[in-house]
Amino acid sequence: MASDVGSSHIATFSGTYRSTPQTARQSDEKIEKYWRSTVTQQPIPNNLRSLEWEDLKEAWHFNRINYVHHFRTRLEWGGTDSERLVLDDAAAQVTEHSVTRCCNKPTVFYWLQSAQGTNNRGERVFLHGVIYATIFQEWLRCHHSRPDVNSEHFFANPIRITTTGPSTVRGIIDAHHSLCVQVSNVIHQAGGRADSFVKELPSGLSRHYSLFALYRALVTIIDHTWYAPEPEPDGMLSLGRVAQNQTVLIARTGMEADLSAPISFDIIKAQSFPIKVCDAIGPEDDVTKVSLATAVRFIVELETREKLAKSHTTMTSHHDFCLDPSAPEGYEGDRQVCSNPDAWADASIVSADEHGYDNNIDTWYSVRRVQARLIGEDFCKLEHLPLCPKWRY
């Protein structure tokens, strides 16, 4: 098998390079330089063609998730207040431009003032990006790296609470009731189609937005930010460590009539932390305190339960064509090809056979990534990188 891999490697690329794994690992810089300098020789051997087909399918999923990660949810969690909802002394104001932020999510993430970062004037206005990065990592893990990202589906949307906003769980729940009423009213006024508010939606396409029953029933609250007492030996911050040490509050809102079954915290009781009754938490509040990792897993499992119970109703996912990759040459305008990973991989290889593997960015990367992997090297791995170079998963 090793000789077959080696001969295929030599036949596929021009240039001089080893074709079998070596004992001494090459530097990342040398690996990167080599694979970027190669020119693909055609035809591609059949054993590589099948591997590339699998790689292109994986790239289809990866690129859709990566787009959401970097250009949708990250902006809402890490941007300014113009990118997210803000809760002041009244309630978070929902408009036709912001209503979709609350849709297709199993919970909402309320940021108390005590958990927010300060600006140069000492005002608490920042949401720490490490929390979003950790949530994203745990969310991916719960979905085995294949979450549904159609129509802005994610674990939660953030709502920053201002200095005049509620500071207790009961106050947040009351504000959440108001928020859900507003969202429902805006969607109802649009004839039940919130996607009509999405300005960038191309003509003829649609998305499916709804306010999940679970979103009404459950809120997640962060009241402090955990800081690592010391970095890892490599100087990096482990997001896995953040996930285990950062705690959040999960509270039932009392709006569970539309759920398939009541919510119970019994299943995570063993992972919960003691809660002291204080000004923020009253004795009547149904609240639990758990790690961020436990919270994400628990809520994703509840969402899965509801989806299975109501798969024929509002929780049915619609394909989001806006996330699909570009059509390969010769298939321009064919949405059906781009909306299916198998069809897109087929079309990409057919197009590359005719127009050249190096003339399409997707097949250019894929053929090199597959070849590198065959000899134990990493080139342009399909991995979701943390948003900060000092963080790692």
Side-chain angles (χ1 to χ4, degrees):
M1 180 62 70
S3 60
D4 291 340
V5 171
S7 62
S8 298
H9 175 76
I10 295 171
T12 305
F13 290 105
S14 64
T16 302
Y17 196 74
R18 67 189 184 284
S19 59
T20 55
Q22 301 293 301
T23 302
R25 185 187 183 281
Q26 299 297 307
S27 68
D28 292 341
E29 292 75 15
K30 185 173 181 180
I31 292 171
E32 181 83 8
K33 183 178 180 180
Y34 170 72
W35 291 110
R36 289 192 177 278
S37 69
T38 58
V39 177
T40 307
Q41 303 296 307
Q42 293 183 236
I44 299 293
N46 287 335
N47 65 325
L48 292 183
R49 186 185 298 274
S50 61
L51 292 174
E52 185 175 8
W53 185 74
E54 292 293 341
D55 181 81
L56 284 167
K57 288 199 301 178
E58 186 65 28
W60 184 91
H61 290 284
F62 173 85
N63 289 330
R64 297 178 98 246
I65 297 169
N66 207 46
Y67 178 85
V68 169
H69 178 36
H70 284 280
F71 299 105
R72 283 190 181 174
T73 53
R74 186 187 70 162
L75 293 178
E76 186 175 9
W77 285 77
T80 64
D81 284 349
S82 63
E83 303 288 345
R84 56 177 170 256
L85 294 176
V86 176
L87 177 56
D88 54 22
D89 55 352
Q93 298 302 306
V94 178
T95 67
E96 62 181 41
H97 303 294
S98 61
V99 65
T100 58
R101 294 172 184 166
C102 303
C103 295
N104 298 347
K105 297 170 182 70
T107 191
V108 59
F109 206 84
Y110 284 102
W111 288 73
L112 284 169
Q113 276 279 297
S114 53
Q116 298 173 34
T118 57
N119 60 15
N120 55 12
R121 295 189 296 275
E123 301 166 330
R124 291 184 176 274
V125 295
F126 293 131
L127 311 188
H128 297 284
V130 69
I131 302 299
Y132 163 69
T134 302
I135 289 173
F136 180 79
Q137 161 69 8
E138 294 300 314
W139 187 64
L140 279 183
R141 192 193 313 278
C142 290
H143 289 285
H144 307 290
S145 298
R146 290 285 182 85
D148 174 12
V149 293
N150 292 304
S151 304
E152 301 182 40
H153 175 250
F154 186 52
F155 170 74
N157 67 298
I159 295 184
R160 188 181 76 82
I161 301 176
T162 69
T163 54
T164 59
S167 58
T168 65
V169 170
R170 178 48 48 189
I172 291 173
I173 289 175
D174 291 342
H176 187 67
H177 281 221
S178 175
L179 172 72
C180 292
V181 170
Q182 288 187 68
V183 173
S184 297
N185 287 341
V186 172
I187 294 177
H188 178 72
Q189 291 168 10
R193 294 184 57 82
D195 57 337
S196 61
F197 298 133
V198 185
K199 303 303 180 184
E200 76 274 13
L201 199 63
S203 176
L205 297 186
S206 65
R207 296 181 188 159
H208 184 74
Y209 291 94
S210 64
L211 185 66
F212 287 0
L214 189 56
Y215 187 94
R216 296 186 179 95
L218 209 62
V219 297
T220 306
I221 304 167
I222 181 169
D223 60 355
H224 76 284
T225 304
W226 178 80
Y227 293 96
E230 57 186 26
E232 301 297 313
D234 58 5
M236 306 287 279
L237 173 62
S238 166
L239 298 184
R241 193 178 175 195
V242 174
Q244 296 301 325
N245 288 277
Q246 174 68 57
T247 58
V248 293
L249 302 171
I250 307 176
R252 295 171 64 185
T253 67
M255 296 187 288
E256 299 185 9
D258 294 328
L259 294 179
S260 64
I263 295 172
S264 173
F265 292 143
D266 289 346
I267 193 172
I268 54 174
K269 186 175 182 179
Q271 289 84 49
S272 63
F273 295 88
I275 295 179
K276 295 180 180 179
V277 177
C278 58
D279 292 339
I281 303 171
E284 75 284 0
D285 294 325
D286 194 351
V287 185
T288 188
K289 182 179 183 180
V290 293
S291 71
L292 191 54
T294 298
V296 174
R297 183 173 62 253
F298 174 68
I299 293 172
V300 166
E301 289 174 354
L302 281 177
E303 181 186 15
T304 301
R305 182 195 77 177
E306 293 302 303
K307 188 172 184 179
L308 291 173
K310 302 182 179 182
S311 59
H312 62 288
T313 59
T314 57
M315 296 191 76
T316 302
S317 176
H318 287 216
H319 186 81
D320 193 340
F321 289 95
C322 297
L323 299 178
D324 291 341
S326 301
E329 188 173 354
Y331 294 87
E332 294 85 354
D334 192 334
R335 290 178 188 154
Q336 297 308 312
V337 162
C338 297
S339 65
N340 179 281
D342 289 28
W344 183 73
D346 284 335
S348 296
I349 290 177
V350 170
S351 177
D353 284 338
E354 181 177 353
H355 303 287
Y357 278 75
D358 291 350
N359 291 325
N360 177 283
I361 190 67
D362 296 300
T363 53
W364 188 96
Y365 276 111
S366 181
V367 71
R368 287 160 175 78
R369 187 162 49 237
V370 168
Q371 287 282 276
R373 199 155 51 227
L374 284 172
I375 59 171
E377 294 180 347
D378 290 329
F379 174 74
C380 193
K381 287 181 64 178
L382 296 175
E383 59 180 349
H384 300 283
L385 300 176
L387 303 176
C388 174
K390 292 186 177 293
W391 301 343
R392 64 170 169 79
Y393 293 142

